[in-house]
Amino acid sequence: MLEGVIWLLILKLGDALANEAAVLGKSFLVEASALQGLFGEIRKMKEELESMQAFFRTVERFKDADETTVAFVKQIRGLAFNIEDVIDEFTFKLGEDREGMFLFKAIRRVRQIKTWYRLANSLRDIKANLKSAAERRRRYDLKGVERDAKLTRIGSLSIRPAESVHFKRADDLVGIAENRDLLKKWMKDEEQRHMIITVWGMGGVGKTTLVAHVYNAIKTDFDTCAWITVSHSYEANDLLRQIVEEFRKNDRKKEFPKDVDVTDYRSLVETIRRYLEKKRYVLVLDDVWSVNVWFDSKDAFFGGKLGRIIFTSRIYEVALLASEAQMINLQPLQNHYAWDLFCKEAFWKNENRDCPPELQYWANKFVEKCNGLPIAIVCIGRLLSFKSATFLEWENVYKTLELQFTNNCILDMNIILKVSLEDLPHNMKNCFLYCCMFPENHVMQRKWLVRLWVAEGFIEASEHKTLEEVAEDYLTELINRCLLVEVKRNESGYVDDFQMHDILRVLALSKAREENFCIVLDYSKTNLIGKARRLSIQRGDIAHLAESVPHLRSLLVFQNSLTFGSLRSFSRSVQLMSVLNLQDSSIESLPNEVFDLFNLRYLGLRRTKIANISRLIGRLQNLLVLDAWKSKITNLPVEITRLSKLTHLIVTVKPQIPAMQFVPSIGVPAPIGMWSLASLQTLLLVESSSEMVRYLGSLVLLRSFRISRVQGRHCEKLFKAITNMVRLTRL
């Protein structure tokens, strides 16, 4: 995750530099000199981080290899947060400069000259510490660390799981009958000479176990066979060489040529092709992360009397190597199968493997917690099999897991998550970890989450797409990698709702806490927050947290007991906050201190009881999203038109209606000058008026637009305005 932190920081430094000309243009002579020095340090820091990024990537990947590397990564992460503090304070102070009467602003700007010099000095000190830490690290042989870590990773991630499943007894396998029979049918289909089969699903769902069972059952029906667990960083020649060795070892008729030159790609391909020319063969490529594994080796498999190539993967793109008719999407176990597997693992010492009546309650709780994920069921079941079979002991184990501590029982699952995270592009790692901030079994909505990701700064700009479109691509990729679970699609085929599997959430929370990415609190325990940058409150009050969390950047509230006073004290202390989401809270008004959060980019008021937005909203010049869907707001202040960066304005009123009766949401009158918000991509729900429809055509970036109370005399101008909205996708 260090790579993701550094990448995010480089983006933030770039954003600060983008404002250099505008800021210097508004400054007076003495202030300009101080600002130039600060911008110079920002530029140097950005260049330094960019030059070290590849080094950080290598260190992060192998940080578990020794304690020295762990300490180094921790130190660099701390320095990165210090840099972020400087940049965010700079942005905050610039926002402060915009407010107040001319004389007060002038006095404040003179005083802030000292601040600019202080921030520049801070960056110089941090850069010196950064170089010093990196130089100390270079004194050690990182290549040795990489080599040892690679062996460790291959040993623990590739060989052991792949080998151990080959020795599972058929009686120990549950819930695989349908897919087992389907695989066997495809393997024995004599009418189709060559066939590619893919088995895909989330990590730990049992792909390798299923394929290994079928492979061992039918491999004697073929002349030769090979099982290859593909290395994450494979080389094409090494892969083909492994295939050659496996075919040679498993050749039933001992016809594989000996003493052949198998050192280069061409000779490897030709050797395999000649050997398979009249053979029936089966090849399993297990745990494949890239389609290039096939494209780098397919030339060797054009011949053969009858060939079956099976890929297992957690990547949807790899699954598409097979036709839809030969693709298995493996899902978590159904409840009764999950229970059977749990009993086999937890009570393996018992002859009948039945759960004692006194443990039924906690056994059901454990099975429910695993959500059908076999690796989780097996690991937790094995842990419990070595605990005392008492109600109290099992209760203690469950509570330990509830607190999301990393136990030996989830070591294998941590490995699964570690591999999945390492394979993610750095800009997606933050997006994935962000999802663990939502409550257990929480159904997330696509557009809502995408806007949060953008506001957090996780999304890399693209020349031909909006940030939201890029974010939706990230979301699709996370679903295709089985890191998020699809719940519902809309009528256009887009995933609308999705969840994070509970076991993956537990592991992600552990990782997020380790990285100071975020912390989730069910109760207000300030000692657990540490230096986390994001806080998710799911129970309890935030009032007494305020003084201890000035480093916070994001607050997500998922409970309805938030009070006006607690939010006021929190806003006073956590001034550099960029995301404030109060969705579903019972708060009825916002304290003025919220509008002093000049760095705020996201203000979420969904389904709150807030009825008015203060005129002070105009101070939030960095605000990108104001989401007050189904709140009680009936009017918007004209000052909202000052928010030139606003991209999503969502204000609808939830009508008071009798039960079981549907009434559409009610819109709000558009304030004069709303058409000056040229960055808007989403505008809903506004009421039509003669003046509004006259100028509406200036909002050319709108993609989603809802308008109510349209009268006949508005239609001509409204339709003309809509024709200017060439990017509109929803009306």
Side-chain angles (χ1 to χ4, degrees):
M1 284 301 300
L2 177 60
E3 182 189 2
V5 172
I6 298 300
W7 173 81
L8 200 57
L9 189 53
I10 289 172
L11 286 184
K12 187 166 281 192
L13 291 165
D15 289 342
L17 290 172
N19 297 321
E20 182 175 8
V23 172
L24 291 176
K26 296 176 182 177
S27 61
F28 55 86
L29 187 60
V30 180
E31 185 187 24
S33 176
L35 282 168
Q36 283 175 337
L38 177 54
F39 276 117
E41 291 303 323
I42 292 173
R43 186 172 290 102
K44 291 175 186 176
M45 182 62 74
K46 181 172 180 286
E47 292 168 354
E48 185 72 24
L49 291 175
E50 286 173 336
S51 65
M52 299 176 74
Q53 197 169 15
F55 177 66
F56 292 147
R57 185 180 305 125
T58 303
V59 170
E60 169 70 14
R61 186 166 187 179
F62 302 111
K63 75 178 179 69
D64 296 329
D66 69 354
E67 293 182 9
T68 307
T69 310
V70 171
F72 172 72
V73 169
K74 186 175 181 180
Q75 184 180 8
I76 296 300
R77 188 184 301 114
L79 291 172
F81 288 154
N82 292 344
I83 298 169
E84 184 180 44
D85 289 342
V86 170
I87 300 304
D88 286 347
E89 184 181 352
F90 176 48
T91 305
F92 179 83
K93 293 296 183 183
L94 289 177
E96 232 179 10
D97 280 348
R98 300 188 185 100
E99 303 306 320
M101 298 174 61
F102 176 79
L103 179 61
F104 292 130
K105 285 198 289 186
I107 294 172
R108 189 189 299 122
R109 288 172 67 176
V110 171
R111 289 176 178 170
Q112 285 190 347
I113 292 175
K114 288 185 178 180
T115 301
W116 306 147
Y117 282 121
R118 174 175 60 80
L119 294 178
N121 287 332
S122 295
L123 284 179
R124 278 190 285 269
D125 291 343
I126 294 169
K127 188 172 69 173
N129 291 334
L130 196 62
K131 287 183 176 180
S132 176
E135 286 167 5
R136 282 198 305 272
R137 190 68 194 93
R138 289 192 190 101
R139 292 172 195 161
Y140 300 91
D141 180 17
L142 192 59
K143 292 181 180 178
V145 174
E146 290 184 22
R147 182 179 61 253
D148 294 342
K150 185 174 181 181
L151 289 173
T152 300
R153 192 171 72 256
I154 291 174
S156 61
L157 300 183
S158 298
I159 297 172
R160 287 192 291 108
E163 294 298 323
S164 63
V165 297
H166 288 277
F167 300 100
K168 281 192 176 292
R169 300 182 307 165
D171 291 345
D172 292 331
L173 304 175
V174 297
I176 69 166
E178 183 179 344
N179 288 320
R180 176 198 62 202
D181 294 344
L182 190 58
L183 265 180
K184 284 185 176 180
K185 176 185 174 183
W186 291 338
M187 300 289 275
K188 295 178 178 180
D189 183 0
E190 297 286 341
E191 294 183 6
Q192 192 164 338
R193 185 179 166 195
H194 294 107
M195 185 186 296
I196 292 177
I197 300 166
T198 56
V199 179
W200 74 288
M202 68 188 301
V205 80
K207 303 179 294 294
T208 301
T209 302
L210 168 66
V211 174
H213 177 68
V214 174
Y215 174 80
N216 288 326
I218 56 85
K219 64 183 180 182
T220 54
D221 296 339
F222 292 81
D223 298 322
T224 189
C225 59
W227 179 292
I228 307 295
T229 301
V230 182
S231 169
H232 211 70
S233 52
Y234 78 97
E235 295 288 341
N237 286 9
D238 290 339
L239 176 63
L240 290 172
R241 197 174 294 114
Q242 287 182 65
I243 293 172
V244 165
E245 291 304 316
E246 286 294 305
F247 278 153
R248 189 202 306 272
K249 183 173 67 176
N250 298 318
D251 180 16
R252 295 179 62 207
K253 298 180 180 179
K254 305 302 179 185
E255 295 176 350
F256 198 97
K258 298 179 179 179
D259 302 322
V260 294
D261 179 21
V262 287
T263 57
D264 63 274
Y265 180 83
R266 175 174 290 183
S267 63
L268 287 164
V269 169
E270 289 177 351
T271 297
I272 294 172
R273 289 179 70 169
R274 282 198 302 270
Y275 170 67
L276 295 178
E277 194 171 5
K278 296 181 180 179
K279 293 285 189 296
R280 295 162 53 88
Y281 69 91
V282 56
L283 168 65
V284 176
L285 296 173
D286 184 38
D287 202 19
V288 175
W289 290 82
S290 169
V291 293
N292 291 331
V293 169
W294 172 240
F295 294 117
D296 287 342
S297 58
K298 68 174 185 174
D299 291 340
F301 301 100
F302 281 131
K305 185 177 180 181
L306 185 141
R308 296 291 180 265
I309 300 176
I310 306 176
F311 294 87
T312 72
S313 179
R314 62 188 82 180
I315 310 295
Y316 179 61
E317 186 181 30
V318 174
L320 292 176
L321 290 172
S323 68
E324 192 171 343
Q326 274 81 46
M327 188 189 303
I328 294 176
N329 180 10
L330 211 55
Q331 298 295 323
L333 295 174
Q334 296 175 23
N335 291 341
H336 62 287
Y337 288 132
W339 175 260
D340 288 347
L341 181 58
F342 177 81
C343 290
K344 288 177 185 291
E345 296 295 338
F347 307 110
W348 60 269
K349 300 173 189 175
N350 302 348
E351 186 175 350
N352 56 10
R353 299 189 181 186
D354 285 342
C355 177
E358 64 271 18
L359 296 178
Q360 286 271 352
Y361 174 78
W362 287 115
N364 278 309
K365 295 282 282 184
F366 281 114
V367 172
E368 182 182 330
K369 172 69 70 177
C370 294
N371 284 342
L373 190 64
I375 185 68
I377 297 169
V378 169
C379 290
I380 291 175
R382 285 177 187 170
L383 171 73
L384 291 167
S385 73
F386 292 99
K387 299 290 183 181
S388 298
T390 65
F391 186 93
L392 184 60
E393 181 73 6
W394 280 40
E395 180 183 24
N396 290 335
V397 174
Y398 186 84
K399 287 181 177 178
T400 302
L401 291 176
E402 277 284 276
L403 291 173
Q404 299 147 0
F405 294 144
T406 303
N407 294 276
N408 290 335
C409 74
I410 55 174
L411 176 62
D412 288 344
M413 292 180 282
N414 263 322
I415 291 172
I416 289 170
L417 180 62
K418 183 176 184 293
V419 176
S420 296
L421 278 178
E422 279 185 359
D423 188 65
L424 281 177
H426 57 262
N427 42 5
M428 287 188 202
K429 291 176 183 176
N430 292 325
C431 295
F432 170 71
L433 286 186
Y434 199 78
C435 294
C436 76
M437 294 179 67
F438 299 92
E440 183 179 339
N441 298 321
H442 185 83
V443 176
M444 292 170 272
Q445 296 175 313
R446 171 174 52 93
K447 289 186 178 180
W448 178 50
L449 183 65
V450 157
R451 290 166 190 151
L452 279 167
W453 284 351
V454 171
E456 291 281 1
F458 296 159
I459 310 303
E460 191 168 12
S462 170
E463 185 177 353
H464 303 295
K465 292 184 177 182
T466 65
L467 291 173
E468 287 77 7
E469 287 173 323
V470 175
E472 293 201 5
D473 289 343
Y474 290 1
L475 176 57
T476 300
E477 184 67 14
L478 290 173
I479 292 172
N480 287 344
R481 288 171 179 260
C482 301
L483 290 170
L484 296 175
V485 180
E486 173 188 324
V487 173
K488 187 183 79 173
R489 288 181 179 263
N490 63 18
E491 65 276 8
S492 302
Y494 289 101
V495 175
D496 254 357
D497 298 338
F498 49 92
Q499 290 176 305
M500 175 177 269
H501 192 287
D502 188 38
I503 292 297
L504 283 184
R505 179 177 175 271
V506 170
L507 300 175
L509 280 169
S510 174
K511 182 71 172 176
R513 185 166 53 245
E514 173 194 333
E515 305 282 353
N516 285 326
F517 179 87
C518 70
I519 193 80
V520 173
L521 292 185
D522 281 343
Y523 300 97
S524 301
K525 297 179 180 178
T526 56
N527 61 308
L528 295 178
I529 296 176
K531 296 182 179 179
R533 309 300 268 190
R534 298 167 188 85
L535 176 62
S536 172
I537 295 285
Q538 297 177 8
R539 272 184 290 179
D541 195 10
I542 64 173
H544 67 281
L545 297 178
E547 299 300 325
S548 60
V549 290
H551 49 273
L552 276 185
R553 295 299 185 271
S554 302
L555 174 66
L556 276 61
V557 177
F558 293 98
Q559 45 86 27
N560 60 13
S561 61
L562 184 70
T563 65
F564 179 90
S566 61
L567 182 57
R568 178 171 58 187
S569 60
F570 201 86
S571 300
R572 285 173 178 169
S573 300
V574 191
Q575 292 187 326
L576 302 183
M577 196 148 45
S578 59
V579 170
L580 178 60
N581 184 55
L582 307 176
Q583 175 174 316
D584 292 315
S585 67
S586 57
I587 193 166
E588 297 182 359
S589 62
L590 293 175
N592 288 344
E593 285 78 4
V594 167
F595 303 105
D596 290 333
L597 302 174
F598 301 118
N599 290 5
L600 204 63
R601 291 157 60 90
Y602 185 102
L603 181 56
L605 307 176
R606 281 192 166 218
R607 295 186 295 269
T608 61
K609 297 179 181 179
I610 292 172
N612 292 293
I613 291 287
S614 169
R615 294 174 59 185
L616 296 175
I617 187 76
R619 306 174 73 175
L620 303 180
Q621 291 290 298
N622 288 304
L623 197 66
L624 300 178
V625 180
L626 174 58
D627 187 346
W629 187 72
K630 289 191 176 179
S631 66
K632 294 190 174 183
I633 297 169
T634 55
N635 284 285
L636 292 172
V638 70
E639 284 77 11
I640 204 167
T641 61
R642 294 176 54 192
L643 307 182
S644 59
K645 296 182 181 180
L646 197 65
T647 52
H648 303 282
L649 178 56
I650 303 165
V651 183
T652 67
V653 182
K654 185 176 181 180
Q656 298 297 318
I657 57 175
M660 305 302 291
Q661 182 179 343
F662 173 77
V663 177
S665 297
I666 300 170
V668 297
I672 296 173
M674 177 177 277
W675 35 91
S676 65
L677 298 175
S679 298
L680 277 182
Q681 297 178 28
T682 303
L683 176 58
L684 57 101
L685 173 65
V686 291
E687 294 180 356
S688 179
S689 68
S690 298
E691 186 172 22
M692 183 196 177
V693 297
R694 184 186 310 160
Y695 299 106
L696 191 61
S698 61
L699 303 180
V700 295
L701 298 182
L702 275 182
R703 292 172 177 266
S704 185
F705 176 47
R706 289 179 65 188
I707 186 169
S708 65
R709 298 191 178 178
V710 178
Q711 300 181 27
R713 65 178 185 275
H714 299 160
C715 289
E716 184 179 352
K717 291 177 181 177
L718 175 62
F719 297 159
K720 184 177 180 181
I722 289 172
T723 61
N724 289 342
M725 302 174 190
V726 293
R727 302 184 183 184
L728 198 64
T729 58
R730 194 171 187 89
L731 175 61

